[in-house]
Amino acid sequence: MIRENLLQTRQNIENACRKAGRNIGEVELIAVSKTKPVSMLQEAYENGVRDFGENRVQELVDKYETLPKDIRWHMIGHLQRNKVKYLIGKVHLIHSVDSLRLAQEIQKEAEKRQVQVNILVEVNVAGEESKFGGSLEETLQLVQEIALLPSVHIQGLMTVAPYVQDSEENRRIFANLKQLAVDIERKNIDNVNMNVLSMGMSGDYQVAVEEGATYVRVGTGIFGDRTV
């Protein structure tokens, strides 16, 4: 099942790239493996997946210890400051930085371990109360503040779009995040890149790719429905 799902997902990404006139190499697939057993991740790995996304720190750390070391782990869930110390040095990219205080904690732990940490700033484009991240209007100031932290490097933006039946309803969300990234890029802020847009999940990743996503986060589309 996982092999077939991956083939279909990759084909869908390729089709979306072609429709948008984009190079397939511009888009990376993150297999969202939260709650899934190591055996399923291993199967995805054997079928070429190297980027895995987790929502919970402990689960990411446990799987990091068990699975091959060339995997790139992505922290995509809400991150509490007291959990940061467990992630540093293990995670390829933290997608969910939504406050200066969290970024400062990442800086503190990065200094202790003498490492550099790549992050994305999370934006709540739709303004949903149930979602984390700042508003479109607040994001530039947050980016400027985080940019002053020497060991924390902003690579782009992330959003979690609303759950919708029709993925077209989220096109505006993705287009707005892309436009924000373009606007921030034009400011030429030191220590800030806008090369990464993490947006789109199982229900809407094709629309996200058409609107400029560079990372799509697909869970149920690869592994099937979550059990937890």
Side-chain angles (χ1 to χ4, degrees), residues 161 196 217 225:
V196 177
R217 311 181 304 269
D225 290 334

Side-chain angles (χ1 to χ4, degrees), residues 8 11 32 70 90 106 119 141 144 155 173 187:
Q8 185 62 61
Q11 186 61 57
V32 177
D70 62 336
K90 296 183 173 69
I106 294 170
I119 67 158
Q141 182 179 345
Q144 290 170 325
Q155 301 299 326
I173 302 291
K187 304 234 177 245

Side-chain angles (χ1 to χ4, degrees), residues 73-193:
W73 292 100
H74 298 258
M75 180 62 194
I76 61 174
H78 180 61
L79 179 57
Q80 296 171 305
R81 296 195 306 280
N82 63 350
K83 299 285 181 67
V84 167
K85 58 181 176 284
Y86 303 112
L87 280 184
I88 302 304
K90 296 183 173 69
V91 69
H92 176 69
L93 185 63
I94 299 173
H95 291 230
S96 47
V97 176
D98 58 359
S99 71
L100 179 60
R101 290 178 71 194
L102 175 57
Q104 289 169 334
E105 187 65 27
I106 294 170
Q107 170 65 31
K108 186 176 86 172
E109 294 298 330
E111 278 182 13
K112 278 186 196 173
R113 291 166 173 73
Q114 296 185 306
V115 296
Q116 306 297 305
V117 180
N118 290 324
I119 67 158
L120 304 179
V121 172
E122 183 171 2
V123 187
N124 186 354
V125 179
E128 292 183 280
E129 287 187 15
S130 61
K131 300 279 173 63
F132 294 98
S135 69
L136 286 165
E137 295 75 24
E138 295 166 338
T139 299
L140 174 59
Q141 182 179 345
L142 178 58
V143 165
Q144 290 170 325
E145 291 168 345
I146 294 174
L148 300 175
L149 303 173
S151 302
V152 178
H153 308 295
I154 297 173
Q155 301 299 326
L157 305 175
M158 178 269 234
T159 197
V160 179
Y163 175 77
V164 292
Q165 294 294 333
D166 179 3
S167 60
E168 283 294 329
E169 293 178 35
N170 280 337
R171 188 176 292 277
R172 177 184 56 83
I173 302 291
F174 302 138
N176 285 347
L177 191 73
K178 171 67 175 178
Q179 186 58 54
L180 178 61
V182 170
D183 293 344
I184 293 173
E185 185 73 44
R186 286 184 181 138
K187 304 234 177 245
N188 291 315
I189 305 165
D190 285 347
N191 194 29
V192 174
N193 286 309

